[in-house]
Amino acid sequence: MLNIAQPEEVTFSPELITRFNEIVTRYPEGKQKSALLPILHLVQAEFGWVSAPAMDKVAEYLHIKSIEVYEVATFYTMFFLKPLGKHVLEVCRTGPCCLVGAEKIMKYIEQKLGVKEGEVTPDGLFSWRGVECLAACGMGPVLQIGPEYKFHENLTEAKIDELIDSLRLTTADKPQIS
Amino acid sequence: MGRKLLLEHINVPGINTFDVYRQNGGYRALEKALKTMSSDDIVEEVKKSGLRGRGGAGFPTGMKWSFLAKPEGKARYLVCNADESEPGTFKDRYLMTYIPHLLVEGMIVSSFALGANTSYIYVRGEMMPQIRILEKAIAEAKAAGFLGKNILGSGFDHEVYVQPGGGAYICGEETALIESLEGKRGNPRIKPPFPAISGLYNCPTVVNNVETIAAVVPIVNDSGDEYAKLGIGRSTGTKLISASGNLNKPGVYEIELGVSVEEFIYSDEYCGGIANGKRLKAVVAGGSSVPILPANLILKTANGENRLMTYESLAEGGFATGTMLGSGGFVAFDEDQCIVRNTWNFSRFYHHESCGQCSPCREGTGWMEKVLHRLEYGHGKLSDIDLLVDVSKKIEGNTICPLGDAAAWPVASAIRHFRDEFEWHVTNPKEAMERNFGLAHYADPLPKPEPELSQN
Ligand SMILES: Cc1cc2nc3c(=O)[nH]c(=O)nc-3n(C[C@H](O)[C@H](O)[C@H](O)COP(=O)(O)O)c2cc1C
Ligand code: SF4
Ligand code: FES
């Protein structure tokens, strides 16, 4: 975490804070720390990753120590602790999907994007990585793309081509910090 | 056709919406429970039904509910386990996607039975679309007056919230799930105390799987005795099976417990046989954690009896020749699949997902992954095979939570039943990387129309 360039400062928009405020009401008085995971998801959806200053801000908001946020963000695999491509293709690499060709699909994505697992394409648009079973084994091979985690099932090389082409055309920019 | 209880209306267009669900008898159980039954009546019906937890362990739900402590002045919680991360399992996602109100209705009825005024559905974070679906269903139920204060004039107040996880298999373990819901790392707790005494926020808590909670709806509607008429022996009712791997029709099937494994795999009502005209080599019957069995032992027990899809029949023969129903994640391997590679893949999974609190699990899963990797990639030794058995034995039973056992069993069982395939990887490293071993040797013994298989 420490060897990643961090933004100087992060500001949470009033809309984001409104959503935090709503989440906190789901838990009993004094148990607002329960809101940590949902809030980290919102932060990642907003900024594309979870930076140290953003985590400090979350800690401040929840009245907990920064370290409590760091230890959670580093434990769960969904949180990106460094900036990745705008679209992160997360392909299931677990047994049942491998029975129906997940490994070939990962190789194809690697070759098509021209970057290794966890890297970013030069245009900043794509990253990919293998993840563990996504609870869609009967529809494998399968991949997901955040922040809404829409699933793409029964993947073939042709479907990957189509998906990547359509993502290139997506104009809606996710705000990035760098 | 087997009876369906959970997926009876799954093909009705719009059943995911409140109105259509309601028109098809939805929220009848809720009305019946809140208007005509006491909490104890519902617990009694669930006990009579013989329903067993559908999350994997198969513990009787009614008994679990009756253990819930009820100290004065302390809140009680129901937490639904929708973490669904056991490889091979995808039935809860299906249920939440296509008939979300069944879960919401089950949550309200079960919470009423347990005296919980707040409940949470903990959904793995990757299922964002399902989280949105559930939030919408909850809002619809609330608008209809089935959630909130004094529901249907019963004096019962209830709210359900959806909580996302963050991507960690271990959070499916109930105490890790509770930690995660409190905003912490998903480290399983040492038991006792059990959640029934001290769970979420140190309050008495019941954690149940999605399918378990959904099954409460038909039990309340039709009575526990009616539910118990389905199934065989102590395996009552219906079960959702997630079928994946090399099958003609992978997918989610609701079966009446007691269907034979052969019928489940080969009949057109279910999986329709092995894909591409190939033969069956092995099955993992209950999610990645349960012992793998070769085709001959999954179709028939060691005594030559037909193996049935029940808790008891699948376990027949113990670990020597049997397995477990687990979460119902049914993974079929065709003759071209490599057992060593799959075992390595599963070990990598458990190593990756170990929370790291116990040394046998943290270190042992790493060793197993490493040794299996070298066997699969052609530089293993024959002694590695016994080393794996030894490591798996040292993990099993020596850890805080059952993830350690879950990591040990697949390795131990793969070696138990497919030892010569492991040995062949050592003695024929180059060939092992190019093609698979043992086709005819392990494959499905039933006569199949497919002729000629490659020999070794
Ligand atoms: C490592 C591990 C992972 C688990 N994952 C799940 C899961 O994803 N979903 C689930 O319902 N139960 C899972 N369980 C079982 C739960 O601990 C618990 O037994 C279950 O949620 C109880 O609900 P039930 O009685 O309705 O089955 C897991 C257990 C372990 C040890
Ligand atoms: S057995 Fe493994 S996952 Fe379970 S508590 Fe120990 S280290 Fe964590
Ligand atoms: S193994 Fe890929 S979704 Fe389960």
Side-chain angles (χ1 to χ4, degrees):
Chain A
M1 195 165 97
L2 295 176
N3 53 5
I4 303 292
Q6 300 287 341
E8 288 274 308
E9 218 197 293
V10 170
T11 27
F12 292 159
S13 65
E15 295 78 44
L16 201 55
I17 298 284
T18 310
R19 293 187 68 184
F20 293 179
N21 292 342
E22 183 276 315
I23 290 172
V24 172
T25 63
R26 301 172 189 173
Y27 317 103
E29 201 58 47
K31 305 295 180 192
Q32 76 285 355
K33 188 176 171 181
S34 281
L36 185 48
L37 264 75
I39 285 182
L40 285 175
H41 280 297
L42 288 180
V43 168
Q44 177 154 304
E46 179 84 8
F47 300 104
W49 64 299
V50 179
S51 64
M55 287 193 269
D56 295 338
K57 268 258 149 76
V58 169
E60 202 179 297
Y61 175 82
L62 288 175
H63 306 291
I64 56 179
K65 298 192 199 83
S66 287
I67 184 76
E68 294 178 76
V69 182
Y70 300 166
E71 64 177 12
V72 162
T74 53
F75 181 84
Y76 296 93
T77 55
M78 290 180 75
F79 302 118
F80 304 150
L81 301 175
K82 59 176 189 185
L84 291 174
K86 185 171 138 194
H87 308 289
V88 184
L89 277 55
E90 299 184 305
V91 192
C92 170
R93 64 174 193 183
T94 313
C97 275
C98 290
L99 295 178
V100 291
E103 287 157 308
K104 266 196 215 126
I105 289 291
M106 282 196 277
K107 272 207 193 93
Y108 185 72
I109 293 175
E110 175 164 27
Q111 184 199 329
K112 173 139 180 124
L113 295 178
V115 290
K116 289 210 163 44
E117 186 165 4
E119 295 176 353
V120 186
T121 52
D123 57 9
L125 279 183
F126 296 100
S127 297
W128 73 276
R129 62 174 188 162
V131 292
E132 301 298 353
C133 178
L134 292 172
C137 329
M139 293 75 87
V142 53
L143 68 75
Q144 64 176 12
I145 304 173
E148 275 304 314
Y149 296 96
K150 188 172 149 29
F151 268 65
H152 301 269
E153 302 170 345
N154 299 308
L155 293 172
T156 57
E157 293 185 358
K159 278 196 190 169
I160 297 287
D161 289 344
E162 211 176 291
L163 173 66
I164 289 178
D165 287 348
S166 74
L167 287 173
R168 273 192 215 288
L169 297 175
T170 317
T171 46
D173 259 29
K174 212 193 297 167
Q176 293 274 334
I177 312 177
S178 56
Chain B
M1 282 287 278
R3 266 288 298 282
K4 304 221 184 318
L5 297 177
L6 306 179
L7 306 186
E8 194 182 350
H9 302 297
I10 203 77
N11 291 322
V12 177
I15 195 70
N16 58 338
T17 63
F18 178 85
D19 290 342
V20 178
Y21 179 75
R22 186 90 173 110
Q23 283 152 21
N24 284 273
Y27 291 101
R28 243 187 332 127
L30 183 143
E31 289 176 305
K32 181 173 174 186
L34 267 59
K35 287 184 178 158
T36 69
M37 296 171 83
S38 70
S39 304
D40 290 345
D41 293 341
I42 302 171
V43 177
E44 200 47 44
E45 289 306 316
V46 173
K47 275 190 182 159
K48 279 191 202 152
S49 73
L51 174 66
R52 292 165 69 175
R54 302 301 195 215
F59 192 82
T61 306
M63 204 190 293
K64 185 174 193 167
W65 286 12
S66 62
F67 291 156
L68 187 69
K70 299 188 170 159
E72 270 304 311
K74 232 182 179 182
R76 273 165 255 153
Y77 292 101
L78 171 65
V79 179
C80 173
N81 189 341
D83 191 60
E84 193 163 66
S85 345
E86 171 90 354
T89 316
F90 49 100
K91 66 190 174 74
D92 297 340
R93 169 196 296 271
Y94 184 87
L95 195 147
M96 292 187 286
T97 307
Y98 297 107
I99 186 156
H101 282 283
L102 186 64
L103 176 58
V104 175
E105 182 176 8
M107 287 296 287
I108 304 168
V109 173
S110 305
S111 298
F112 175 68
L114 297 167
N117 296 116
T118 307
S119 62
Y120 296 96
I121 307 176
Y122 181 99
V123 186
R124 59 180 295 177
E126 293 91 339
M127 291 197 199
M128 246 359 136
Q130 284 67 30
I131 290 174
R132 302 279 171 262
I133 290 169
L134 288 172
E135 283 172 344
K136 177 162 170 272
I138 290 167
E140 287 174 333
K142 191 158 184 171
F146 295 147
L147 275 168
K149 292 240 172 289
N150 190 20
I151 303 168
L152 305 181
S154 63
F156 176 60
D157 303 339
H158 192 65
E159 296 292 346
V160 187
Y161 299 106
V162 187
Q163 176 83 358
Y169 167 64
I170 192 56
C171 291
E173 194 281 331
E174 57 186 9
T175 59
L177 187 151
I178 290 170
E179 287 282 299
S180 180
L181 184 45
E182 292 182 359
K184 303 182 210 149
R185 297 163 64 99
N187 287 348
R189 295 179 181 171
I190 294 175
K191 298 192 236 184
F194 288 91
I197 311 295
S198 178
L200 182 62
Y201 310 130
N202 297 321
C203 294
T205 303
V206 166
V207 180
N208 272 134
N209 175 257
V210 171
E211 185 187 348
T212 312
I213 291 173
V216 171
V217 173
I219 290 170
V220 167
N221 272 331
D222 306 340
S223 85
D225 287 335
E226 278 301 308
Y227 186 88
K229 283 184 189 157
L230 299 178
I232 297 180
R234 290 183 55 234
S235 296
T236 58
T238 65
K239 172 92 190 82
L240 299 180
I241 305 290
S242 322
S244 68
N246 308 116
L247 294 162
N248 274 325
K249 294 193 294 167
V252 175
Y253 296 99
E254 181 171 12
I255 61 160
E256 189 176 329
L257 286 164
V259 169
S260 78
V261 174
E262 186 180 332
E263 181 183 349
F264 183 69
I265 297 176
Y266 294 102
S267 80
D268 284 334
E269 192 183 338
Y270 302 112
C271 304
I274 307 304
N276 304 316
K278 294 213 163 95
R279 301 201 310 173
L280 177 68
K281 175 173 178 177
V283 166
V284 170
S288 62
S289 306
V290 311
I292 188 170
L293 287 182
N296 56 350
L297 280 178
I298 188 71
L299 294 167
K300 293 215 191 303
T301 66
N303 300 331
E305 285 159 27
N306 272 341
R307 186 86 75 181
L308 309 179
M309 301 285 279
T310 63
Y311 292 94
E312 293 74 22
S313 179
L314 284 167
E316 178 76 39
F319 276 9
T321 57
T323 181
M324 296 188 328
L325 177 63
S327 62
F330 192 95
V331 190
F333 296 66
D334 74 22
E335 55 192 281
D336 290 344
Q337 302 300 340
C338 177
I339 300 297
V340 178
R341 187 164 187 82
N342 186 73
T343 312
W344 162 62
N345 184 297
F346 279 178
S347 283
R348 179 184 66 181
F349 172 83
Y350 288 107
H351 180 213
H352 184 257
E353 299 299 334
S354 166
C355 84
Q357 285 190 106
C358 331
S359 323
C361 171
R362 182 187 61 241
E363 304 300 324
T365 51
W367 288 348
M368 293 199 301
E369 182 196 346
K370 211 166 134 186
V371 174
L372 282 158
H373 186 272
R374 69 179 181 235
L375 281 166
E376 167 64 11
Y377 283 90
H379 29 94
K381 300 182 288 245
L382 279 176
S383 60
D384 282 345
I385 301 170
D386 287 330
L387 177 64
L388 282 171
V389 175
D390 187 49
V391 174
S392 78
K393 279 207 187 108
K394 286 184 172 134
I395 302 174
E396 195 181 339
N398 293 321
T399 55
I400 294 177
C401 92
L403 185 138
D405 300 341
W409 294 340
V411 175
S413 59
I415 295 175
R416 189 180 307 127
H417 299 296
F418 299 92
R419 186 178 265 269
D420 39 0
E421 183 159 338
F422 283 82
E423 289 171 356
W424 185 73
H425 274 68
V426 176
T427 50
N428 302 52
K430 196 157 165 285
E431 220 185 331
M433 286 178 65
E434 279 158 12
R435 72 169 188 89
N436 187 29
F437 164 82
L439 315 176
H441 180 59
Y442 294 120
D444 174 1
L446 296 175
K448 289 279 115 197
E450 279 310 305
E452 289 321 304
L453 291 152
S454 46
Q455 270 101 43
N456 63 82

